[in-house]
């Protein structure tokens, strides 16, 4: 069982790295092309898109660093492992998008309006070519990311999967690639309007819209990552499954509170209060504990620690009441 779980963890980690590497490769090429086009045309919207692609390169590198660091083995100072390294670096990604991507794009757009920055009317063809090429490259990266994303989520609704996911590496790249395509669409529209009206303001507005888009993505990632850093546990129906496993174990009379926390995408800790049959001896209690741990790890392969405490009937009933209050049950 441990060998199978180890292979599953490596496969999931490998998928995240593949997705991030694909995004980095695409963004390096696109960033260079966008900056060249911006230098020729003077378009601030295209410059903002170049910054966007540059930020995405840095984000991809941070995701890979987080994935690698999160796989380090537990040690004396970190007995539960380094899984939350990935959550920390994902938080850095959201801050980088906001500070370097969103804020710089907003500044460029506002500065272009106040200083009436001119756009070279003879270079629109270059912008169109760059936008189309960038859309193709970003679209390829997005397709690879979506393939890995859909493989992991199965039949779960995308938004629900993102909200409940414990591995932010795949959906972080998806957020970035979707924002990249939307940013290019904004740049295309602003370029068309700028050319049609001969008014540089539309180009500046395009840069501002890109900034707003990046800030929105940053806040969405920040919210999801914050929850993971604070500490998320199993979902309500998953806790019910654990309770079912415990109650269906021989020598167990009742199940009290079930506490859980993810210390990383593949590091789940469970603490369970159990009321054993009063006639069960020590040997039978140990058999029950072993059976509970085995079945839980079969159902939730990411489980690394299971702590089972024998408790009294009164304490178990009080813990059940408390747990129902937490879950909003009557």
């Amino acid at each position: 069982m441990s060998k199978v779980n180890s292979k599953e963890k490596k496969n999931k980690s490998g998928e995240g790295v593949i997705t991030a590497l694909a995004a980095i490769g695409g963004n390096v090429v696109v960033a260079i092309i966008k900056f060249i086009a911006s230098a020729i045309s003077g378009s601030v919207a295209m410059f903002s898109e170049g910054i966007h692609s540059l930020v995405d390169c840095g984000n991809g590198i941070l995701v890979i660093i987080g994935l690698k660091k999160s796989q380090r083995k537990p040690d004396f100072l970190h007995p539960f492992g380094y899984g939350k390294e990935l959550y920390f670096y994902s938080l850095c990604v959201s801050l980088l998008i906001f500070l370097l991507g969103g804020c710089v794009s907003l500044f460029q757009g506002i500065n272009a309006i106040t200083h009436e920055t001119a756009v070279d009317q003879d270079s629109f063809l270059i912008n169109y070519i760059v936008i189309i090429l960038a859309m193709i490259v970003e679209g390829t990266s997005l397709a690879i990311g979506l393939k890995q994303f859909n493989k992991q989520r199965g039949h779960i609704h995308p938004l629900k999967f993102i909200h409940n996911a414990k591995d932010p590496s795949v959906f972080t790249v998806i957020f970035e690639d979707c924002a990249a395509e939307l940013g290019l669409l904004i740049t295309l529209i602003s370029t068309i309007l700028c050319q049609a009206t001969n008014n540089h303001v539309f180009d500046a507005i395009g840069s501002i819209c890109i900034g707003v888009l990046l800030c929105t993505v940053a806040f969405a990632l920040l919210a999801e990552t914050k929850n993971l850093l604070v500490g998320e546990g199993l979902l309500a129906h998953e806790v019910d499954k654990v309770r079912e496993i415990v109650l269906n174990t021989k020598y167990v009379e009742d199940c009290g509170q079930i506490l859980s926390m993810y210390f990383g995408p593949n590091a789940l800790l469970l603490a369970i209060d159990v009321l054993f049959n009063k006639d069960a001896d020590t040997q039978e209690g140990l058999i029950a504990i072993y059976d509970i741990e085995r079945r839980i790890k079969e159902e939730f392969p990411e489980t690394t620690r299971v702590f089972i405490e024998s408790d009294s009937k009164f304490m178990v009933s009080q813990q059940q009441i408390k747990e129902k209050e937490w879950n909003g049950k009557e």
Side-chain angles (χ1 to χ4, degrees):
M1 177 58 66
S2 61
K3 291 182 179 179
V4 174
N5 292 345
S6 177
K7 288 180 180 179
E8 289 177 353
K9 292 176 184 180
K10 288 180 180 179
N11 289 338
K12 289 181 179 179
S13 174
E15 290 171 0
V17 172
I18 290 172
T19 305
L21 286 173
I24 292 172
N27 284 318
V28 168
V29 175
V30 171
I32 295 172
I33 296 174
K34 287 177 180 177
F35 282 129
I36 293 173
S38 175
I40 295 173
S41 66
S43 170
V44 291
M46 185 61 72
F47 181 82
S48 295
E49 269 300 296
I51 292 292
H52 182 181
S53 295
L54 192 62
V55 168
D56 284 349
C57 291
N59 292 341
I61 294 172
L62 287 174
V63 168
I64 291 176
I65 292 174
L67 284 168
K68 293 298 182 182
K69 285 184 173 291
S70 67
Q71 295 170 14
R72 287 185 292 174
K73 295 181 179 180
D75 53 36
F76 181 78
L77 293 177
H78 300 87
F80 293 106
Y82 291 82
K84 286 196 174 185
E85 288 268 17
L86 179 58
Y87 301 156
F88 169 75
Y89 281 95
S90 296
L91 179 68
C92 292
V93 165
S94 61
L95 293 175
L96 187 63
I97 293 174
F98 174 72
L99 294 174
L100 190 56
C103 292
V104 170
S105 297
L106 287 170
F107 172 79
Q108 288 292 329
I110 294 171
N111 184 65
I113 291 177
T114 55
H115 290 80
E116 298 185 359
T117 304
V119 179
D120 186 356
Q121 296 293 321
D122 298 326
S123 60
F124 283 109
L125 179 61
I126 295 175
N127 279 3
Y128 290 134
I129 293 173
V130 169
I131 290 170
I132 292 172
L133 289 175
M135 280 185 166
I136 294 172
V137 175
E138 296 283 7
T140 303
S141 175
L142 178 59
I144 295 172
L146 282 174
K147 182 179 179 181
Q148 301 294 340
F149 177 79
N150 291 329
K151 182 179 179 180
Q152 289 195 18
R153 74 179 179 87
H155 299 292
I156 304 173
H157 189 277
L159 293 179
K160 184 178 180 180
F161 174 79
I162 289 172
H163 182 67
N164 295 331
K166 300 302 183 282
D167 184 353
S169 61
V170 172
F171 70 74
T172 295
V173 176
I174 295 297
F175 271 36
E176 293 173 353
D177 288 342
C178 287
E181 286 292 319
L182 288 173
L184 288 167
L185 181 61
I186 291 171
T187 305
L188 177 62
I189 294 172
S190 66
T191 302
I192 292 172
L193 291 174
C194 187
Q195 182 181 21
T197 62
N198 195 26
N199 190 340
H200 79 286
V201 172
F202 288 107
D203 181 59
I205 291 174
S207 180
I208 293 172
C209 289
I210 292 170
V212 172
L213 171 66
L214 292 176
C215 288
T216 302
V217 171
F219 281 121
L221 285 174
L222 189 63
E224 291 297 330
T225 307
K226 185 210 75 170
N227 291 332
L228 292 169
L229 267 176
V230 170
E232 287 188 350
L234 292 172
L235 301 176
H237 73 274
E238 293 173 327
V239 172
D240 290 339
K241 182 62 180 177
V242 173
R243 187 180 303 281
E244 180 185 337
I245 290 172
V246 175
L247 292 175
N248 290 333
T249 301
K250 192 176 181 181
Y251 307 123
V252 171
E253 182 177 329
D254 206 350
C255 178
Q257 199 169 23
I258 299 172
L259 302 178
S260 61
M261 179 180 287
Y262 278 91
F263 286 85
N266 299 303
L268 172 65
L269 178 145
L270 278 168
I272 309 169
D273 289 299
V274 177
L275 174 63
F276 294 98
N277 292 337
K278 60 181 181 180
D279 298 328
D281 57 28
T282 302
Q283 184 65 28
E284 291 170 336
L286 291 174
I287 292 173
I289 290 173
Y290 172 79
D291 195 33
I292 290 171
E293 291 185 359
R294 178 183 58 80
R295 292 166 62 196
I296 286 176
K297 289 181 178 181
E298 286 177 356
E299 183 69 28
F300 303 99
E302 67 274 22
T303 306
T304 53
R305 297 285 189 280
V306 180
F307 297 105
I308 298 175
E309 182 178 352
S310 177
D311 226 326
S312 66
K313 189 174 184 64
F314 172 76
M315 290 301 298
V316 166
S317 63
Q318 291 299 307
Q319 291 160 0
Q320 289 173 347
I321 293 172
K322 184 185 293 185
E323 189 171 37
K324 287 180 181 178
E325 290 175 352
W326 286 0
N327 295 333
K329 297 178 181 178
E330 297 182 357

